[in-house]
Every structure is written in C-alpha cells, then in structure tokens.
Amino acid sequence: MEDVEEFADALQRVRRNAGLTYRELAERAHYSHAHLIRATSGKQLPTWEVAAAYLTGCGVPADLMPVWRRRWEEAARDPRDVVALLEHAQTLEHLGAAVAVLTRPRSLRTLQQTTGIPRATIQAWLRGTRLPSRDRLDHLVRSVGGTPAERSAVARTLSRLSTTERTPATIR
C-alpha cells in the first residue's frame, strides 16, 4: 500500500522529469507554487483536484490519470491497521468506523454506484445505526478493494456483534 510520503515523492519525480520548477508548474496547474510545494511535502495528502492539476501541468497523459487516481486513493487510506480496529470493535459504531476507513476517500454516491447499495443504507452502516447483512457488507468491502484479511476480520466482527444485537428488524 502506498502512503502519503511515497505519493508525494512520486509527484516530485514527475515534476523533475518534466523539467519544471514549482513556479512554472504553478502557471500550468493554476495553483500557487506554495500550494504545490505543500502537496509534495509528504505531510498531508493533497486533494485529488490538486494532484490531478499537478499531474496535468507536468504533462501526464489523460489515459494515465486513472492509474494515478488509484495511487492517490491508496495513499488516502487511513494508515491505521483496519484488522486491529475490527478485532477491538465492541459496537456497531466501531464496526462502522473501521469500514469507513476502508471506504475512504470515496463518497456515498460513488459507493452506491459501485455496489448498488443505497447511500442511506451505507451511511447507516458507517454510522453504526444499522446492522448490515454479512453478504451485503462483504460486497461493499470487496468493492473497495478490501484485502482477504480485512474481509475476514469484517465478517468475524459482524458475526460477533450480530450475536449481541439480536434485532432482526435492523438487519438490512
């Protein structure tokens, strides 16, 4: 998994390979040079809009942007160990928080389009206000690229929490 620093280093390499200074890139990307320098500091991941403008300004072809978007999404994932979060989850809210880490940085609309699961349902799962069915939650986790270990941990946690909830009317 790529982290924020690796993504920032990759952006810097692209700029250097394009032979551009930050000021030259700023003119092309329509962001200040200070903003672009911060984007490559490795301290905080730039927004996708900034990263895309940076890459476009460096001359990265449009057909490579989906590859860069996937790299950006990997770097955007919370660095905490999702499996550990799930193993310590005691409530539906904890489960929802761990699944939210897996789904970042995708919007509810994107998740709905990807999975076919209504936004309101996904939002209730992430907030911990509704107990998801195992199959539907696994479909969501699989759709966002959850690893086999993460999928297994989600299933174990859901199973453990399901026995304590025992409210079939809330399973959706």
Side-chain angles (χ1 to χ4, degrees):
M1 180 187 301
E2 183 159 30
D3 68 14
V4 174
E5 287 182 17
E6 290 170 345
F7 188 80
D9 289 344
L11 288 178
Q12 287 178 14
R13 282 192 304 276
V14 169
R15 181 190 56 80
R16 283 192 302 269
N17 288 340
L20 297 171
T21 67
Y22 279 106
R23 290 198 186 276
E24 291 168 332
L25 178 56
E27 287 182 25
R28 293 179 177 200
H30 306 291
Y31 282 93
S32 71
H33 76 281
H35 199 97
L36 299 174
I37 289 170
R38 277 192 304 278
T40 59
S41 71
K43 294 178 183 171
Q44 184 176 351
L45 187 68
T47 65
W48 171 244
E49 290 75 23
V50 171
Y54 186 106
L55 293 163
T56 301
C58 289
V60 172
D63 61 330
L64 290 180
M65 294 307 270
V67 173
W68 279 97
R69 175 67 188 228
R70 282 192 296 278
R71 289 182 74 176
W72 178 85
E73 287 175 354
E74 272 188 34
R77 237 190 204 173
D78 193 313
R80 294 179 292 174
D81 181 4
V82 175
V83 173
L85 288 174
L86 289 162
E87 288 173 354
H88 294 97
Q90 298 298 315
T91 65
L92 286 178
E93 290 84 10
H94 294 156
L95 172 63
V99 173
V101 169
L102 289 172
T103 62
R104 282 187 192 130
R106 296 163 188 87
S107 68
L108 290 171
R109 174 172 287 151
T110 299
L111 292 171
Q112 177 181 329
Q113 291 170 343
T114 303
T115 65
I117 300 169
R119 284 185 289 192
T121 299
I122 296 169
Q123 186 174 37
W125 294 349
L126 299 180
R127 288 183 176 166
T129 58
R130 184 181 294 171
L131 182 66
S133 71
R134 181 179 175 156
D135 290 344
R136 290 182 85 194
L137 185 57
D138 183 61
H139 175 62
L140 174 73
V141 172
R142 192 174 58 249
S143 296
V144 298
T147 66
E150 291 166 341
R151 289 177 59 203
S152 179
V154 166
R156 283 192 311 273
T157 303
L158 183 58
S159 180
R160 186 177 73 248
L161 294 176
S162 295
T163 60
T164 60
E165 286 292 315
R166 293 287 181 212
T167 52
T170 63
I171 298 177
R172 303 253 191 278

